[in-house]
Amino acid sequence: MDPNLETSARDVLIVSSNFNQLLRYDPLKSSELVPDLAKSWKISADGKGFVFTLRDDAKFIDGAPVTPEDVVYSLRRIIGEFGAAASNTRIGPSLKQAWSGADVTGANEVTVRTTVASAMFLGQLGSANVKIVPKHVLEATEKKVFATAASPVGAGSFKLTKWQRDVVVEQERYQGYVTSYKEGGGLPYLDGMRTYVIKDSSAQIAAIEGGQVDLWPRYQSLDASQGKAVKSFLGDKVIVGKYPQAGFMVQHLNMKKPVFQDPKVVKAMWVAMDRKTLNELVFEGGLVVGAIVDPDVFPEAALPLSDVYSYPGMKEPDYALAKKLLAEAGYPNGFEVEVIVQNAGWIQDATQVLIAGFAKAGIRVKPVVVDVAAAQKSLDTGLFDLGYVYVGGFDTPQPLEPFMAAWMTKSPRNRAGAGDPELDRMITEAGTTLDPKQRNEKIRGVQRYIYSNMSQGTIPLGVPKDVLAQRTYVKGYVPSLTYIDGAMFDTTWLDR
């Protein structure tokens, strides 16, 4: 229940509404950065200073005012200045790359400084992982974390009233909630929310079909067949759609394994990946095959699909090339590896499709099926040959985000365990290019470099469109472009 520590999208969906932020992404137009606790902000001439003017009427649920000191404390906590036990392992490292410091510079003013002029930093501050917490509460607790079922003390749109682990979380409207996104009060519209923890996929479907659940949010999405079943059962009582996202789907190779030390083997894995059948059978046309950045979401920064498909194996597998590369690498009869598989429906289906494709190139892949927690641990500790099919959501709707997260050498989300200094340089350069047109061209250059080399252990499969469902009486909710935004639910209401 600690917003600065919880990085799983499942956790953020629950805890996000208990806390607010300096900035946020518009819940109805999620690519647009809007004010929240901050009324306004200014950027210094050199691009290295951000001055935020805060509201003076925001209060935590314990009645204490939200102060500039709380903001500075929260930011320092997120980047890890108070130790690893109180830092955000997802957005924290991204912010820390450019972090120089934060200070209270006025009665209602905070100044944040960066080491370089960053095109990413302001948008990262708008991430739903950058929540403001009360300094006075956390400094008074022994471990300085919200670690119990007691209500977290935030100033967000809702406050926690019940937490029954693995069953349900209940929240009620916080009457003192204020936000610069909408002046004059009135938010949130709902009197309360109930979030169910349902692990069995059949029970999940039954919950929305039976009316227990009104809304199926961004993470984890329905698969294509589930979406069809829900629509068939409920008809015009439900909206089921395929929604674009700022995210990516990859297959991780453990580059520390001897077999993947040869670049030819890695390239063989790239071109033997059966993305085409994956799209047809599992996503039923809802996968932007081979893409890292979706052209529908970021047309100025995404590499056109015609360019993506000019590289071997990206539109459909090239088994002949894969066999040739393996023979040149000393594996004329292929080789055998294991793949970690989450025991979640569509992930198992996706893995089976990819395993069948690899077999046609002589690559024998043995599935090791584990639960979600064990699968995540395998990635975190590097105990895998091939990681599970991984859908990575951006922390912010910014097109450079996936490259900073999954391809930079020192990123905690680079699960492959290897990097490329030249690629690091290109990504860093794009992140410090303030002119949007020039930055987008550099982002396209990063994509060309990744596709032309095919030497990275993070192999793109495509960008999935998420299948989501909501009852037709649910209004004021638009699925966000990221997994973690759009969970304040302050603009959501029920027309019934």
Side-chain angles (χ1 to χ4, degrees):
M1 287 296 171
D2 195 313
N4 296 162
L5 307 188
E6 298 300 345
T7 57
S8 163
R10 294 178 177 90
D11 297 327
V12 174
L13 276 172
I14 293 174
V15 77
S16 186
S17 58
N18 298 148
F19 299 86
N20 50 14
Q21 302 156 218
L22 268 177
L23 314 172
R24 63 188 290 197
Y25 284 93
D26 191 323
L28 303 178
K29 295 176 288 185
S30 66
S31 62
E32 185 177 325
L33 200 61
V34 296
D36 192 5
L37 273 175
K39 294 193 296 184
S40 61
W41 62 90
K42 296 183 295 185
I43 304 175
S44 63
D46 64 0
K48 300 179 183 179
F50 303 83
V51 181
F52 298 94
T53 301
L54 309 180
R55 302 183 67 95
D56 60 5
D57 58 349
K59 292 183 178 181
F60 293 108
I61 61 171
D62 66 356
V66 180
T67 67
E69 286 79 9
D70 293 312
V71 173
V72 171
Y73 176 86
S74 300
L75 295 178
R76 293 181 62 198
R77 185 174 187 253
I78 288 164
I79 69 160
E81 286 192 7
F82 304 138
S87 64
N88 189 293
T89 57
R90 185 158 177 150
I91 196 68
S94 298
L95 288 171
K96 195 172 183 178
Q97 289 179 20
W99 178 264
S100 178
D103 295 291
V104 176
T105 51
N108 291 298
E109 185 179 277
V110 169
T111 299
V112 182
R113 303 178 307 281
T114 57
T115 57
V116 295
S118 171
M120 297 285 292
F121 192 81
L122 188 66
Q124 289 169 337
L125 289 179
S127 164
N129 278 321
V130 185
K131 296 291 189 180
I132 305 305
V133 297
K135 179 181 179 183
H136 69 281
V137 172
L138 288 172
E139 283 195 332
T141 61
E142 181 183 352
K143 295 184 178 180
K144 295 183 171 55
V145 297
F146 294 116
T148 71
S151 177
V153 179
S157 47
F158 292 86
K159 59 182 180 180
L160 187 70
T161 56
K162 179 181 179 180
W163 175 18
Q164 187 176 351
R165 188 181 292 276
D166 290 332
V167 179
V168 68
V169 176
E170 294 185 8
Q171 301 176 77
E172 68 178 29
R173 184 180 194 268
Y174 173 40
Q175 301 290 344
Y177 174 61
V178 294
T179 173
S180 295
Y181 170 69
K182 180 180 182 294
E183 296 291 351
L187 296 181
Y189 297 131
L190 294 173
D191 293 315
M193 295 192 298
R194 186 178 295 114
T195 304
Y196 293 102
V197 181
I198 306 173
K199 299 181 181 181
D200 178 75
S201 59
S202 298
Q204 292 168 358
I205 299 301
I208 194 165
E209 290 182 345
Q212 180 188 19
V213 169
D214 304 303
L215 174 67
W216 191 298
R218 172 66 82 178
Y219 194 79
Q220 183 165 329
S221 64
L222 294 152
D223 64 34
S225 60
Q226 288 174 325
K228 283 184 176 179
V230 169
K231 184 63 178 176
S232 175
F233 187 85
L234 291 175
D236 60 5
K237 295 178 181 178
V238 68
I239 299 170
V240 177
K242 290 181 179 178
Y243 295 89
Q245 62 161 290
F248 54 95
M249 187 163 66
V250 298
Q251 175 81 71
H252 294 290
L253 309 184
N254 189 340
M255 298 294 278
K256 295 180 181 179
K257 296 289 182 177
V259 70
F260 298 132
Q261 298 293 304
D262 192 319
K264 291 182 178 179
V265 174
V266 175
K267 186 172 183 178
M269 297 293 291
W270 274 70
V271 301
M273 198 76 69
D274 193 354
R275 302 168 181 86
K276 180 181 179 183
T277 304
L278 182 68
N279 181 39
E280 292 171 350
L281 296 186
V282 179
F283 290 93
E284 299 186 9
L287 181 71
V288 187
V289 171
I292 303 171
V293 179
D294 188 344
D296 289 342
V297 179
F298 302 110
E300 299 85 3
L303 199 62
L305 291 179
S306 57
D307 289 8
V308 173
Y309 298 151
S310 69
Y311 297 100
M314 295 312 300
K315 187 174 184 179
E316 54 186 272
D318 190 333
Y319 299 123
L321 176 57
K323 289 179 179 179
K324 179 175 180 293
L325 290 165
L326 291 178
E328 292 174 357
Y331 297 97
N333 299 315
F335 60 90
E336 183 173 314
V337 289
E338 293 183 346
V339 62
I340 300 297
V341 187
Q342 279 192 21
N343 60 351
W346 77 263
I347 293 181
Q348 293 188 70
D349 295 341
T351 304
Q352 289 302 321
V353 168
L354 298 179
I355 287 175
F358 285 134
K360 295 178 182 178
I363 303 169
R364 299 174 296 282
V365 180
K366 177 184 176 182
V368 178
V369 181
V370 297
D371 64 26
V372 173
Q376 185 64 50
K377 185 176 181 180
S378 73
L379 283 190
D380 292 341
T381 56
L383 298 176
F384 65 92
D385 297 334
L386 275 64
Y388 63 87
V389 174
Y390 179 81
V391 178
F394 294 14
D395 291 324
T396 61
Q398 300 183 96
L400 189 58
E401 182 98 24
F403 307 101
M404 295 181 69
W407 277 274
M408 285 199 73
T409 303
K410 293 184 179 181
S411 169
R413 294 174 70 192
N414 181 348
R415 312 292 190 176
D420 181 333
E422 175 60 14
L423 184 56
D424 288 350
R425 184 198 65 77
M426 294 176 70
I427 295 170
T428 301
E429 185 178 282
T432 55
T433 301
L434 301 184
D435 179 83
K437 186 175 181 180
Q438 294 179 17
R439 181 170 64 256
N440 286 332
E441 185 48 47
K442 291 182 186 296
I443 294 172
R444 287 187 172 185
V446 169
Q447 292 164 81
R448 293 187 188 98
Y449 183 90
I450 291 173
Y451 289 121
S452 60
N453 284 274
M454 292 190 178
S455 60
Q456 303 297 313
T458 302
I459 305 178
L461 304 180
V463 178
K465 308 285 189 184
D466 280 347
V467 179
L468 306 173
Q470 63 186 65
R471 292 281 183 151
T472 53
Y473 53 70
V474 176
K475 308 295 183 181
Y477 174 80
V478 176
S480 66
L481 286 174
T482 75
Y483 286 141
I484 59 173
D485 288 306
M488 294 289 284
F489 298 110
D490 52 349
T491 61
T492 306
W493 57 285
L494 304 181
D495 183 17
R496 65 177 188 183

